[in-house]
Amino acid sequence: MAKQNVAEQFVDILARAGVKRLYGVVGDSLNPVVDAIRRNSSIDWIHVRHEETAAFAAGAEAQVTGSLAACAGSCGPGNLHLINGLYDAHRSMAPVLALASHIPSGEIGLGYFQETHPELLFQECSHYNEMISNPEQMPRLLQTAIQHAIGRGGVSVVTMPGDIASKAAPEKSIEHALVTERPTVRPGDDEIDKLCRMVDQAKRVTLFCGSGTAGAHAEVMEFAEKIKSPVGHALRGKEWIQYDNPYDVGMSGLLGYGAAYEATHECDLLILLGTDFPYNAFLPDDVKIVQVDVRPERLGRRSKLDLAVWGDVRETLRCLTPRVKPKSDRKFLDRMLKKHANALEGVVKAYTRKVDKHVPIHPEYVASVLDDMADEDAVFTVDTGMNNVWAARYLTPNGKRRVIGSFSHGSMANALPQAIGAQFTDRNRQVVAMSGDGGFSMLMGDFLTLVQYDLPVKVVLFNNSALGMVELEMLVAGLPSYGTTNKNPDFAAIARAAGAYGVRVEKPKQLQSALKDAFKHKGPALVDVVTDANALSIPPKISADMVTGFALSASKIVLDGGVGRMLQMARSNLRNVPRP
């Protein structure tokens, strides 16, 4: 039996850790690893057109599966292109292993061709970032990197010079059982007892939920019912907590709607469950606040806490709910539910007024029709910018659908590459990329990746020929919009020229048939929808400090924004409100 080299050992360990594919662009220092993949039937090499796409795709795969995913870049510029997608994966707590191949080890530090210093470049977007400078470090270093990515939730970067990858692996290397799943974390009894007393003493409790409530829907509902609490959510918590939720009061934040803002400010105890909600201007400063999070470094960094609880949301509630006293007074909950429904009634007019005849097409209408026609278990990937607004307000969660975006890092161009990673996990599952024309054109080259692998991703392009969110930022600052317009081609024609299905939609009556045909098409498809650049959105509660660093229109030259089925959900919840 031939002796393994380091690259082959590297690939074997990745496969043993459950990695199914490695996304990247092949080249020079990376060649030994790619050749090892060629000869390993357990793992595939996915050739993308840009390494940024590789990192975004790996991050999306990790979010869909909950398992380790991987990407790679060749020395210097190759691995440098990974950095934006790795930032996004890291901030999304997606377990990703990135291989940054390096120049020949004997040339490091001497200004060699394409020399960079990956161990410095990736420091801020990783839990672990080390270089293999000697074959003897394998496989322990890679195993340590894998365990950091999975155990802490985020990115690990392994740098490896091409010449090291080609050397013989050590004969008696130490290999051990790999960690492939994260444990649950239970708070101590003292913290549970303190939280129980605070809940029992409070008359009005509000729960505000983030992505840390994934897998805890039943526990949150049971707890809310017992203490008669309204339940609001951040954008990343929407898919996990809003469905089948008779206590829903909507979303707070810059894309918010409904009564979540009021519910968090009019309670006397606010419990933050699994959320690292970044906009502290939307959080109250005159109520008691408890935060529950599995990441202790997040506790208290957004607001002053009266109690910090280190623990998994599901396990914390399983311990807490049996101990708290049930509350019978629904006055606060019912008042917030009514406020929520009334708030949605007030803004839904912009959506209902002849939007099915309006040209250019209202993007709200596009999102609403898309929500109607998409599969019950569809995966939506959403570009940053105004598409975040339409996704937040129109995509209906149901416990089966997934909504993935650059919600923490806020990068442009994420939807298409994330759709690639999501689709590779299951070719039979519908994946829809909600792309903006700015984001799509930034990484448009990887539409060719869809064609090359015949991935049936459906790109729905909201084409307003502008950087809409940036225009809002300029309005906030009192500036005229400048440098925000895009002179766009017929994107559908480009899709057809690339060998995919492409259709352009300019009138509302064309939309449903265009989406239906695209969804029926077995391969990749692009629906280029020309939308109204003046359709903008604004949250219900605004103050000067809320607009800092984000886009809001001070002059309110906006539509207040429809809210799609959110209104229907609120109306259905009102059936739970006792009538006088």
Side-chain angles (χ1 to χ4, degrees), residues 74-155:
S74 59
C75 63
N79 63 59
L80 188 58
H81 284 158
L82 295 170
I83 197 165
N84 193 50
L86 292 183
Y87 260 98
D88 182 80
H90 193 56
R91 298 188 70 180
S92 301
M93 293 182 66
V96 170
L97 188 287
L99 170 60
S101 67
H102 206 2
I103 64 172
S105 57
E107 300 293 343
I108 294 174
L110 300 174
Y112 192 72
F113 176 64
Q114 293 189 322
E115 181 173 10
T116 58
H117 292 87
E119 69 277 14
L120 301 177
L121 290 168
F122 297 105
Q123 195 63 38
E124 197 175 58
C125 62
S126 63
H127 291 306
Y128 186 84
N129 178 25
E130 295 291 347
M131 182 169 69
I132 298 173
S133 56
N134 189 302
E136 299 297 327
Q137 292 174 273
M138 279 286 288
R140 287 183 299 160
L141 190 145
L142 178 56
Q143 291 171 158
T144 301
I146 289 169
Q147 291 173 181
H148 272 76
I150 295 172
R152 299 187 64 184
V155 171

Side-chain angles (χ1 to χ4, degrees), residues 265-279:
H265 283 71
E266 296 180 26
C267 62
D268 50 32
L269 176 63
L270 173 61
I271 303 179
L272 306 175
L273 293 175
T275 179
D276 193 34
F277 182 69
Y279 305 111

Side-chain angles (χ1 to χ4, degrees), residues 17-41:
V19 173
K20 302 297 184 186
R21 54 196 65 85
L22 195 64
Y23 301 89
V25 178
V26 69
D28 46 71
S29 57
L30 196 54
N31 289 345
V33 174
V34 176
D35 187 62
I37 292 173
R38 179 182 63 83
R39 291 179 281 108
N40 190 315
S41 61

